[in-house]
């Protein structure tokens, strides 16, 4: 059993714990929180025995082997590097960091400490996405990738009333591109690598983050179109368009139904059963890597994480999305 520590006592952590326990491969033994009260409340809810309020003491603990980090984006790199320096393996929520320099620092820390570092992007590890990878050759030369993820934020109503909650504060390195656009960008770089050119547009909020935006990306022989939003919903499927057919993916953030529609009218269903909660598959991958003694996922690889962040960093420059973390040493 892999013993996990937790940083981040929020709904996504609760979802991860519930999915992870179904793998039968992990247990949760420690929680780090800045306040004892909040940490103890969360720990008691899930029967987690140890609570820490000091990061150094947490890192020195022998009560866990790996840590799941779901803190605000701006703190990912700080926590991950410090804990990897204590020899802990790290499963870190996306986006992996605030910018590419931090991602490189995280990768360097993982390599120097010989520990596993993996970005917790669930979609690329789900069964139906694996089917996309396996059958991609069937559609011939790929000419376009399109993906859209728009989810109206439950915190946007408060924002419009004058209350700026954390979801719309640049000091936490967030916004539509970082929080939702990554779901479209990460599968793209897993499949096709880093693009040659990025063109980005966005609607910027007065708080300093982007409410929605779009990207046009250039590859050799193909292009990609990405749309993302935290202030409107999208119901568009994703498509990978080839000269022989098109792969249609129902939801790029959580692939379920996938099919190839060939140019001659045939339809091939690639859908794979999703028998567990979506986050189950990222934990299963992480556990399998640890069992094998690996320090990097072949799918959610260091290279994919760096490429995705480089795309977002270039897009941020073009739309004027600036984080305090950009100027920190």
């Amino acid at each position: 059993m892999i013993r996990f520590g937790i940083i981040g006592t929020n709904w996504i952590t609760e979802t991860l714990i519930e999915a992870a326990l179904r793998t039968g491969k992990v247990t949760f033994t420690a929680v780090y929180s800045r306040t004892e009260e909040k940490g103890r409340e969360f720990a008691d809810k899930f029967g987690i025995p140890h609570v820490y309020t000091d990061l150094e003491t947490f890192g020195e603990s022998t009560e866990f082997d790996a840590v799941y980090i779901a803190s605000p984006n701006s703190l990912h790199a700080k926590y991950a590097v410090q804990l990897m320096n204590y020899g802990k393996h790290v499963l870190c929520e996306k986006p992996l960091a605030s910018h590419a320099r931090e991602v490189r620092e995280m990768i360097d820390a993982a390599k120097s400490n010989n520990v596993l570092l993996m970005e917790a992007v669930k979609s690329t590890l789900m069964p139906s996405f694996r089917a996309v990878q396996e059958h991609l050759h069937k559609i011939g030369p790929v000419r376009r990738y399109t993906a859209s993820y728009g989810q109206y934020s439950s915190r946007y109503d408060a924002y419009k009333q004058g209350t700026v909650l954390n979801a719309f504060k640049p000091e936490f390195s967030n916004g539509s591109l970082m929080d939702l656009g990554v779901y479209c960008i990460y599968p793209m770089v897993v499949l096709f690598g880093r693009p040659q050119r990025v063109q980005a547009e966005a609607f910027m909020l007065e708080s300093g983050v982007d409410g929605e935006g779009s990207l046009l990306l250039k590859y050799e022989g193909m292009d990609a179109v990405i749309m993302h939003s935290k202030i409107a919903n999208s119901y568009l499927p994703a498509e990978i368009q080839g000269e022989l057919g098109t792969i249609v993916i129902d939801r790029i953030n959580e692939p379920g139904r996938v099919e190839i529609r060939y140019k001659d009218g045939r339809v091939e269903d690639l859908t794979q059963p999703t028998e567990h909660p979506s986050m189950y598959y990222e934990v299963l991958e992480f556990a399998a890597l640890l069992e094998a003694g690996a320090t990097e996922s072949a799918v959610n690889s260091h290279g994919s994480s760096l490429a995705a962040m480089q795309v977002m960093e270039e897009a941020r420059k073009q739309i004027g999305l600036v984080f305090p973390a950009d100027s920190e040493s």
Side-chain angles (χ1 to χ4, degrees):
M1 295 287 281
I2 299 162
R3 302 174 304 161
F4 261 98
I6 291 288
I7 296 182
T9 53
N10 49 45
W11 68 269
I12 197 168
T13 307
E14 294 186 8
T15 305
L16 184 284
I17 290 173
E18 291 167 357
L21 292 175
R22 295 182 61 159
T23 67
K25 295 180 177 295
V26 305
T27 185
F28 294 89
T29 57
V31 173
Y32 167 78
S33 178
R34 285 174 291 180
T35 67
E36 175 75 24
E37 180 182 8
K38 189 174 182 181
R40 177 56 59 191
E41 180 184 1
F42 187 87
D44 289 346
K45 183 174 182 178
F46 293 97
I48 300 174
H50 303 284
V51 175
Y52 299 86
T53 56
D54 177 77
L55 193 61
E56 283 194 21
T57 307
F58 182 66
E60 292 169 349
S61 172
T62 59
E63 301 295 340
F64 65 99
D65 316 296
V67 62
Y68 170 67
I69 299 175
S71 61
N73 301 340
S74 56
L75 297 172
H76 285 181
K78 171 188 172 182
Y79 288 152
V81 169
Q82 188 161 342
L83 288 163
M84 286 188 286
N85 286 339
Y86 281 114
K88 308 299 185 186
H89 305 284
V90 171
L91 176 63
C92 184
E93 268 305 328
K94 77 278 161 228
L96 196 59
S98 296
H99 45 70
R101 187 182 73 245
E102 286 185 345
V103 172
R104 293 189 187 95
E105 291 170 357
M106 294 167 77
I107 293 170
D108 288 345
K111 291 180 177 179
S112 63
N113 292 291
N114 196 35
V115 295
L116 172 61
L117 168 67
M118 192 182 91
E119 190 166 2
V121 181
K122 63 183 181 181
S123 55
T124 46
L125 298 168
M126 294 182 68
S128 285
F129 185 82
R130 303 266 190 166
V132 172
Q133 292 177 292
E134 292 169 8
H135 295 269
L136 185 61
H137 66 280
K138 293 182 176 179
I139 65 171
V142 174
R143 296 307 181 202
R144 177 171 291 127
Y145 166 95
T146 66
S148 177
Y149 188 20
Q151 182 172 299
Y152 188 93
S153 172
S154 59
R155 297 169 180 83
Y156 188 51
D157 288 336
Y159 178 89
K160 290 189 288 185
Q161 296 299 318
T163 302
V164 182
L165 300 173
N166 291 353
F168 295 103
K169 290 183 177 180
E171 52 263 45
F172 293 110
S173 301
N174 56 28
S176 180
L177 174 69
M178 298 289 280
D179 292 343
L180 299 186
V182 65
Y183 281 100
C184 301
I185 294 166
Y186 204 95
M188 179 190 73
V189 299
V190 167
L191 293 171
F192 306 111
R194 183 182 173 187
Q196 299 170 340
R197 188 171 67 246
V198 177
Q199 295 174 257
E201 299 289 346
F203 172 69
M204 301 298 295
L205 302 176
E206 291 183 3
S207 67
V209 302
D210 56 326
E212 62 85 34
S214 59
L215 293 84
L216 179 62
L217 308 111
K218 173 65 177 176
Y219 286 89
E220 183 66 37
M222 62 168 281
D223 62 19
V225 180
I226 285 172
M227 296 167 285
H228 56 88
S229 179
K230 293 185 77 171
I231 59 175
N233 291 319
S234 173
Y235 305 94
L236 293 174
E239 289 189 345
I240 304 171
Q241 301 168 5
E243 291 187 2
L244 301 180
T246 295
I247 296 177
V248 182
I249 306 168
D250 59 351
R251 298 183 305 278
I252 195 62
N253 61 301
E254 195 171 302
R257 181 168 180 78
V258 177
E259 61 185 19
I260 301 179
R261 298 184 181 180
Y262 292 100
K263 67 176 185 177
D264 62 7
R266 289 179 298 120
V267 177
E268 181 179 1
D269 189 1
L270 303 182
T271 304
Q272 298 298 306
T274 304
E275 299 172 347
H276 303 281
S278 56
M279 298 181 83
Y280 169 97
Y281 300 98
E282 67 189 59
V283 177
L284 195 67
E285 169 83 353
F286 192 82
L289 292 168
L290 282 182
E291 290 172 355
T295 56
E296 182 178 359
S297 169
V299 182
N300 289 10
S301 65
H302 296 167
S304 291
S305 293
L306 181 58
M309 185 57 66
Q310 288 171 326
V311 169
M312 291 189 286
E313 193 168 85
E314 176 58 30
R316 288 205 295 118
K317 288 177 183 177
Q318 294 182 21
I319 65 177
L321 177 55
V322 179
F323 300 140
D326 296 336
S327 58
E328 295 174 3
S329 60

